[in-house]
Amino acid sequence: MVGSREFNSRLLVGTGKYKDFKETKEAITESGAEIVTVAIRRTNIGQNVGEPSLIDFVPPSDFTYLPNTAGCFNAEDSIRTLRLARELLDGHNLVKLEVLGDKETLYPNVIETIEAAKVLVNDGFEVMVYTSDDPIVAKMLEDIGCVAIMPLASLIGSGMGILNPWNLEIIIKNSSVPVIVDAGVGTASDASIAMELGCDGVLMNTAIAEAKNPIMMAGAMRKAIDAGREAYLAGRMDKKLYQADPSSPTSGLIK
């Protein structure tokens, strides 16, 4: 469950950086994702009349659109962007809030994020929120009323993987809303690790769109999400540091 909506897939994907909308659709379909993020300031979903529209290839009747505020660096711009998205999508209120703090690292500005989240929640939006991997900030955003917390694994588009699994585990442990890793996933093993940690889902874009074969990578990510989730539910064996444990019985050996 995310807010008032229920989904089957735990993989969320972006719609940017593909060579064209046809490839975007093929990758999304192969990923099995039900939620697709859309950068309202960068993607045409009807606001640019006469230009190719994402809606023609990835119809909102088949996928849940998650308008995001990519490219916004303050609360005011983020709020305005999501209100525009709500008008373009006939009142759709499930959104991803993303307020950046630095043009070089694209690291989130958590102060502006908190301010925007307060306004949007009070305005009736169901807010999924991108943030740092700070457990205190994550809890503050949950207390405001955000329906999903989306801590970064590493910098947006970096493909560096999960840099701080311990912070993610603290956030997961203390959260009563879905925790979805967002940003930094580079390949299938990163997605699987996130799921093995207990994350409820993973959102990615560049890892698929900039793969040499985006369609094949989308399928690999789908399988990694499923494998990681199953491993989490199965329960990992205890680690025995510096201590071997024979796989075969040690009694009744042939002499």
Side-chain angles (χ1 to χ4, degrees), residues 6-201:
E6 184 174 356
F7 301 95
N8 294 311
S9 174
R10 295 178 182 273
L11 175 57
L12 297 74
V13 297
T15 54
K17 296 187 175 180
Y18 292 95
K19 65 180 181 183
D20 52 36
F21 284 144
K22 179 177 179 295
E23 184 180 74
T24 305
K25 179 183 180 180
E26 290 175 354
I28 292 172
T29 301
E30 182 62 24
S31 76
E34 297 170 288
I35 299 177
V36 296
T37 64
V38 180
I40 295 301
R41 302 179 73 186
R42 297 170 178 162
T43 305
N44 183 28
I45 57 171
Q47 66 270 42
N48 300 324
V49 179
E51 297 181 7
S53 171
L54 179 67
I55 288 177
D56 295 333
F57 293 84
V58 184
S61 56
D62 296 341
F63 300 92
T64 297
Y65 271 37
L66 185 65
N68 69 56
T69 56
C72 292
F73 286 82
N74 58 62
E76 182 180 357
D77 287 349
S78 301
I79 295 165
R80 185 188 311 116
T81 298
L82 292 179
R83 285 174 172 164
L84 170 62
R86 183 164 59 182
E87 291 183 16
L88 289 171
L89 295 172
D90 300 323
H92 179 78
N93 71 340
L94 181 66
V95 297
K96 178 192 166 189
L97 173 61
E98 175 181 314
V99 186
L100 304 177
D102 179 72
K103 293 183 179 179
E104 183 71 22
T105 64
L106 300 181
Y107 209 75
N109 182 326
V110 296
I111 296 174
E112 292 287 315
T113 299
I114 289 170
E115 290 304 312
K118 290 177 180 175
V119 173
L120 291 167
V121 169
N122 288 333
D123 203 14
F125 285 94
E126 291 190 319
V127 180
M128 302 172 69
V129 59
Y130 169 68
T131 184
S132 65
D133 59 2
D134 183 330
I136 305 302
V137 172
K139 195 61 182 175
M140 292 173 68
L141 290 165
E142 179 184 342
D143 291 343
I144 287 170
C146 294
V147 297
I149 306 301
M150 307 176 76
L152 54 77
S154 50
L155 300 182
I156 292 174
S158 69
M160 296 171 66
I162 297 173
L163 300 185
N164 196 336
W166 297 277
N167 272 29
L168 289 180
E169 286 189 314
I170 295 172
I171 292 172
I172 293 166
K173 179 182 177 182
N174 294 328
S175 179
S176 59
V177 298
V179 175
I180 299 170
V181 159
D182 183 6
V185 167
T187 189
S189 57
D190 297 332
S192 186
I193 290 172
M195 297 306 296
E196 290 174 25
L197 290 172
C199 290
D200 296 283

